[in-house]
């Protein structure tokens, strides 16, 4: 199975900050990497697919980059509604696997 | 508007069975693969499995943790996906999400989970 490792596991940030979350795959997955946002008690939502493509309706302050084994999710200017947990997920092969999550908290 | 509504969750004893249903609306159900993802209390996301659309053979894939115990099926005429769970274990306790899978390119691995249901809680306990 492909292991997905996110860092950090949690971070504290202020509104307006630039935030970067990294995701590393245990083997090359090309750009078959998706990012999701989950708020407490809610279902996850797709943010980014194919490593860098913005899902419909997602604000442009979210961006993704990377290929191979190393990927990043960047929030350019953190908003109050962005405090949540973020997960990366690979679809390179089955079983699809998720990172352990990164919780973004208010500083 | 895409909507996915799960039903069938609840409390079940270890070793027993349960079937979850996912009723879809707002899109042409038969054109999409569907998957199930679960989340144990306070934990991260775990992919359970998926079923391809009929155009791609309607075949299924499963996580090792559920293979041989869980079965995903679909009824395109009713726009419903199912998750049949047999021989349930306490570690299967989780919120189960029904999800739509989109294929964004012609390659073999270009899938994303673009819509999620609200989830249904399955508790396996004696």
């Amino acid at each position: 199975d492909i292991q997905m490792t996110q860092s950090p596991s949690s971070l504290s940030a202020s509104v307006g900050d630039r935030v970067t979350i990294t995701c590393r795959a245990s083997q090359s997955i090309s750009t078959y990497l998706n990012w999701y946002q989950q708020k407490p008690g809610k279902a996850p939502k797709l943010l980014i697919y194919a490593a860098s493509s913005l899902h419909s309706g997602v604000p442009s302050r979210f961006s993704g980059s990377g290929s191979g084994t190393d990927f990043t999710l960047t929030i350019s200017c953190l908003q109050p509604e962005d405090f949540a947990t973020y997960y990366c997920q690979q679809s390179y092969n089955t079983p699809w696997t998720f990172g352990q999550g990164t919780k973004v908290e208010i500083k | 508007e895409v909507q996915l509504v799960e039903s069938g969750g609840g409390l079940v004893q270890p070793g027993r069975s349960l079937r979850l249903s996912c009723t879809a609306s707002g899109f042409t159900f038969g054109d999409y693969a569907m998957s199930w993802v679960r989340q144990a209390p306070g934990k991260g996301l775990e992919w359970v499995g998926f079923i391809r659309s009929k155009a791609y053979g309607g075949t299924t894939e499963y996580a090792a943790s559920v293979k041989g115990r869980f079965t995903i099926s679909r009824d395109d005429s009713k726009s419903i996906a199912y998750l049949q769970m047999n021989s349930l274990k306490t570690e299967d306790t989780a919120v189960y999400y029904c999800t739509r899978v989109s294929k964004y390119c012609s390659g073999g691995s270009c899938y994303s989970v673009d819509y999620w249901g609200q989830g249904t809680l399955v508790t396996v306990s004696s």
Side-chain angles (χ1 to χ4, degrees), chain B residues 28-102:
Chain B
T28 304
F29 181 78
D31 288 348
Y32 290 85
M34 299 295 293
S35 76
W36 291 88
V37 176
R38 69 184 180 182
Q39 186 169 37
K43 302 297 184 181
L45 301 171
E46 180 187 16
W47 175 75
V48 172
F50 76 78
I51 184 165
R52 296 178 178 85
S53 66
K54 293 291 195 294
Y56 289 88
T59 53
T60 52
E61 305 278 352
Y62 299 98
S65 58
V66 306
K67 194 169 186 178
R69 298 188 299 124
F70 289 13
T71 302
I72 298 173
S73 60
R74 62 190 299 155
D75 185 337
D76 290 354
S77 68
K78 296 180 179 178
S79 298
I80 299 178
Y82 300 99
L83 178 63
Q84 176 68 43
M85 304 184 291
N86 299 332
S87 304
L88 281 161
K89 306 175 181 179
T90 55
E91 52 264 40
D92 294 320
T93 293
V95 173
Y96 285 74
Y97 294 102
C98 169
T99 72
R100 190 181 84 165
V101 177
S102 278

Side-chain angles (χ1 to χ4, degrees), chain A residues 9-49:
Chain A
S9 295
S10 64
L11 66 90
S12 295
S14 301
V15 172
D17 283 353
R18 181 182 181 88
V19 168
T20 298
I21 299 168
T22 65
C23 177
R24 175 164 288 177
S26 60
Q27 66 179 74
S28 177
I29 58 170
S30 184
T31 57
Y32 299 121
L33 189 283
N34 306 310
W35 289 97
Y36 303 90
Q37 176 194 66
Q38 185 179 34
K39 297 181 180 179
K42 301 293 186 181
K45 292 182 177 180
L46 176 65
L47 296 175
I48 302 282
Y49 64 95

Side-chain angles (χ1 to χ4, degrees), chain A residues 11-17 19 37-40 61-62 75 78-86 102-107:
Chain A
L11 66 90
S12 295
S14 301
V15 172
D17 283 353
V19 168
Q37 176 194 66
Q38 185 179 34
K39 297 181 180 179
R61 63 180 179 273
F62 291 93
I75 310 172
L78 198 66
Q79 297 300 299
E81 60 268 30
D82 301 336
F83 292 95
T85 300
Y86 294 84
T102 295
K103 188 174 183 179
V104 177
E105 299 176 299
I106 300 173
K107 196 172 197 176

Side-chain angles (χ1 to χ4, degrees), chain A residues 37-99:
Chain A
Q37 176 194 66
Q38 185 179 34
K39 297 181 180 179
K42 301 293 186 181
K45 292 182 177 180
L46 176 65
L47 296 175
I48 302 282
Y49 64 95
S52 60
S53 296
L54 203 63
H55 180 56
S56 175
V58 174
S60 58
R61 63 180 179 273
F62 291 93
S63 64
S65 64
S67 66
T69 60
D70 294 314
F71 303 87
T72 61
L73 173 70
T74 299
I75 310 172
S76 61
C77 182
L78 198 66
Q79 297 300 299
E81 60 268 30
D82 301 336
F83 292 95
T85 300
Y86 294 84
Y87 295 92
C88 61
Q89 175 249 329
Q90 65 81 20
S91 64
Y92 181 77
N93 60 20
T94 57
W96 294 350
T97 45
F98 291 87

